[in-house]
């Protein structure tokens, strides 16, 4: 069996139906796709769904991609933002904002203008969440959480300690907030923020919000609701700030910016492909893509980060699907077609190699061994989700 046939046959096993709230699970009005057919990750997760939808759209299942997106819009309407997932314990944080990008994919696939008009109202609510509850004085955004001090302390002394260890010199209440913020980033856990995630303007978060502003400008005109100039101005301002604050001229790459200290992160990561994915990089930053490849490229795609001293699952030597997608699409946007094709082929080869060995797809992989022995804080689960989505998208481009 080929990987694409396995995905086609097994994606229906990841569809769930629950129309009302059940225990800790929030009910959703439409069938929704979860990352894993069995075992862990059996909820609707926010940023996972953007990449999972790629597989659905390639397979001609636009209706299910629309269902997933409508469920996310429902949760935004219900709570004012999209939670990490449709579970009670995910309610105090979000994840990287991809709702507008999901809406755009569904609209492009269906040309359903009434869907876009309704969704636009909801998307602006989510944007307001990021611009009021996750905003820094410099006008850029950061990850954070809504947890109380008791929960933050429990987080640091429990989950963080078990998964990566703890710094005994830190106040657990203060440290726990930053690690909840890191969970909101989707990169839990990683070395990018050195344990102080909420103090950083994250390059991926702000790249996505730039895309929100650019698409909002387009939608406003398309729907006859304005001329889009205010949204264009917001996008322009964000790009200027990112290019001024997040560009490391010495390394020739974008980095996360600590707005408390005024310093850039010490770590180069695959998140630095996001400004290229978003199209906000100026011509003078164009070759930063080649610098990132020189640092992160390996035999199987791109590492999550450069090599660092401490082991995290969102770091070297691991290979994660979303990082490959953002790298490839960023390269394509800036005209590096040959490099984009090379990275995409490396990733599809990795998936096929491990499918031949194990008969399954997995959440993450080891970029040094090309196997499933990834650095992991909770194991390496069998998974379709974004692995299937990115694989199918890359295959569709060949």
């Amino acid at each position: 069996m080929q990987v694409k046939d396995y995905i086609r046959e097994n994606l229906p096993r990841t569809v769930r139906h629950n129309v009302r709230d059940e225990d800790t699970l929030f009910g959703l009005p439409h069938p929704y796709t979860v990352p894993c057919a069995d075992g862990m990750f059996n909820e609707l997760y926010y940023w996972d769904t953007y990449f999972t939808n790629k597989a659905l759209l390639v397979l001609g299942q636009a209706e299910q991609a629309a269902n997933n997106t409508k469920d996310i819009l429902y949760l935004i309407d219900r709570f004012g933002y999209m939670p990490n997932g449709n579970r009670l314990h995910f309610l105090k944080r979000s994840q990287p904002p991809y709702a507008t990008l999901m809406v755009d994919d569904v609209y492009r696939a269906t040309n359903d203008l009434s869907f876009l008009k309704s969704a636009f109202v909801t998307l602006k609510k989510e944007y307001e969440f990021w611009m009021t509850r996750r905003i820094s004085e410099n006008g850029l955004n950061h990850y954070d959480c809504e947890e109380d001090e008791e929960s933050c302390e429990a987080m640091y002394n429990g989950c963080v300690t078990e998964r990566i260890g703890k710094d005994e010199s830190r106040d657990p209440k203060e440290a726990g907030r930053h690690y909840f913020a890191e969970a909101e980033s989707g990169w839990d856990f990683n070395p990018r923020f050195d344990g102080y995630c909420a103090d950083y303007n994250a390059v991926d978060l702000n790249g996505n919000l730039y895309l929100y502003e650019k698409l909002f400008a387009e939608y406003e005109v398309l729907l006859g609701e304005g001329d889009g100039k205010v949204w264009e101005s917001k996008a322009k301002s964000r790009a200027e700030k990112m290019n001024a604050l997040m560009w490391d001229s010495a390394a020739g790459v974008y980095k996360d910016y600590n707005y408390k200290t005024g310093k850039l992160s010490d770590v180069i990561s695959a998140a630095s492909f996001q400004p290229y994915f978003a199209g906000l990089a100026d011509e003078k930053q164009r070759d930063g893509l080649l610098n990132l490849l020189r640092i992160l490229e390996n035999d199987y795609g791109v590492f999550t980060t450069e090599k660092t001293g401490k082991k995290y699952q969102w770091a070297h030597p691991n290979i994660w699907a979303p990082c490959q997608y953002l790298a490839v699409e960023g390269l394509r946007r800036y005209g590096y077609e040959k490099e984009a094709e090379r990275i995409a082929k490396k990733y599809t080869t990795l998936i096929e190699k491990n499918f031949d060995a194990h008969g399954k797809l997995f959440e993450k992989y080891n970029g040094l061994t090309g196997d499933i022995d990834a650095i992991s804080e909770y194991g390496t689960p069998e998974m379709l989700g974004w692995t299937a989505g990115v694989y199918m998208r890359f295959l569709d481009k060949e």
Side-chain angles (χ1 to χ4, degrees):
M1 177 183 286
Q2 293 186 328
V3 177
K4 63 180 180 180
D5 298 321
Y6 175 84
I7 292 170
R8 187 188 300 272
E9 289 184 16
N10 282 276
L11 264 181
R13 296 180 56 230
T14 64
V15 176
R16 301 289 181 266
H17 304 257
N18 73 298
V19 296
R20 59 180 60 86
D21 291 354
E22 302 170 4
D23 191 23
T24 65
L25 193 68
F26 296 122
L28 298 173
H30 306 281
Y32 57 93
T33 308
V34 302
C36 299
D38 304 298
M40 63 194 311
F41 304 135
N42 259 271
E43 303 82 19
L44 178 73
Y45 287 86
Y46 187 8
W47 76 312
D48 298 60
T49 305
Y50 170 71
F51 301 97
T52 304
N53 276 359
K54 298 296 181 183
L56 294 168
L57 292 166
V58 169
L59 292 169
Q61 298 175 23
E63 182 179 1
Q64 185 54 44
N67 284 339
N68 291 335
T69 306
K70 289 174 182 176
D71 282 332
I72 284 172
L73 293 170
Y74 164 81
L75 288 167
I76 294 171
D77 273 330
R78 180 171 175 177
F79 297 112
Y81 63 98
M82 175 60 198
N84 187 148
N86 65 322
R87 286 277 183 193
L88 182 62
H89 53 267
F90 290 147
L91 194 55
K92 298 297 180 71
R93 62 180 183 270
S94 185
Q95 269 195 327
Y98 278 89
T100 296
L101 281 67
M102 287 185 242
V103 165
D104 198 63
D105 281 350
V106 171
Y107 170 67
R108 305 297 170 189
T110 64
N111 293 312
D112 187 343
L113 205 60
S114 63
F115 161 75
L116 181 64
K117 185 177 181 65
S118 173
F120 189 30
V121 175
T122 302
L123 293 172
K124 285 185 284 189
K125 292 180 184 177
E126 189 203 17
Y127 179 81
E128 185 68 13
F129 161 80
W130 290 102
M131 297 307 292
T132 55
R133 290 158 68 178
R134 301 289 189 268
I135 192 73
S136 310
E137 289 183 3
N138 61 19
L140 295 175
N141 299 83
H142 60 86
Y143 294 113
D144 211 324
C145 73
E146 311 292 322
E147 299 285 351
D148 58 30
E149 288 189 344
E150 183 179 357
S151 297
C152 289
E153 182 174 20
M155 167 71 159
Y156 193 61
N157 288 331
C159 177
V160 175
T161 299
E162 292 165 8
R163 285 172 57 173
I164 63 171
K166 64 185 291 188
D167 179 349
E168 295 288 353
S169 68
R170 294 184 70 177
D171 177 355
K173 300 182 185 69
E174 171 269 336
R177 175 198 163 209
H178 287 286
Y179 282 99
F180 268 125
E182 204 161 295
E184 183 170 85
S185 82
W187 287 47
D188 46 332
F189 297 114
N190 75 84
R192 288 167 55 189
F193 312 114
D194 194 29
Y196 289 86
C197 180
D199 291 350
Y200 279 84
N201 298 135
V203 68
D204 44 359
L205 170 60
N206 284 279
N208 269 16
L209 290 174
Y210 171 85
L211 278 173
Y212 271 48
E213 291 155 352
K214 293 291 287 186
L215 287 168
F216 286 2
E218 182 181 332
Y219 297 161
E220 198 170 83
V221 174
L222 181 64
L223 295 168
E225 297 178 3
D227 60 13
K229 289 182 179 179
V230 170
W231 292 112
E232 286 286 1
S233 176
K234 290 178 184 292
K236 182 174 182 290
S237 175
R238 184 182 299 276
E240 289 173 349
K241 289 174 182 176
M242 290 182 68
N243 286 329
L245 298 175
M246 295 181 171
W247 179 253
D248 185 337
S249 56
V253 297
Y254 286 97
K255 288 182 177 178
D256 304 300
Y257 175 73
N258 189 317
Y259 63 90
K260 293 285 185 72
T261 66
K263 295 180 179 179
L264 292 165
S265 171
D266 291 331
V267 177
I268 296 170
S269 78
S272 296
F273 285 107
Q274 202 99 18
Y276 302 99
F277 171 75
L280 67 86
D282 291 337
E283 186 60 28
K284 67 181 180 180
Q285 282 109 11
R286 183 174 182 270
D287 288 346
L289 281 162
L290 300 182
N291 294 332
L292 285 170
L293 289 183
R294 187 165 56 252
I295 296 163
L296 301 177
E297 185 176 357
N298 56 74
D299 290 342
Y300 302 101
V302 294
F303 289 126
T304 311
T305 69
E306 63 183 325
K307 191 172 183 179
T308 61
K310 193 172 181 180
K311 292 182 178 180
Y312 298 86
Q313 65 177 11
W314 281 90
H316 183 281
N318 286 359
I319 298 278
W320 289 84
C323 298
Q324 314 313 304
Y325 184 82
L326 297 170
V328 168
E329 292 300 311
L331 287 161
R332 284 184 174 138
R333 183 185 275 265
Y334 282 81
Y336 290 109
E337 286 292 338
K338 181 179 68 175
E339 291 80 0
E341 290 173 13
R342 185 175 72 235
I343 299 300
K345 183 63 176 177
K346 286 182 175 186
Y347 185 69
T348 57
T349 299
L350 171 69
I351 301 306
E352 289 161 2
K353 169 184 177 292
N354 280 281
F355 183 77
D356 288 345
H358 306 286
K360 301 174 182 179
L361 273 62
F362 294 88
E363 180 196 46
K364 53 189 177 285
Y365 298 85
N366 186 322
L368 292 176
T369 66
D371 210 331
I372 61 172
D373 56 335
I375 301 297
S376 188
E377 295 157 19
Y378 49 68
T380 300
E382 175 190 351
M383 179 172 157
L384 286 172
W386 53 29
T387 304
V390 173
Y391 176 85
M392 291 300 294
R393 180 66 171 169
F394 284 175
L395 214 63
D396 192 50
K397 288 279 189 178
E398 291 181 354

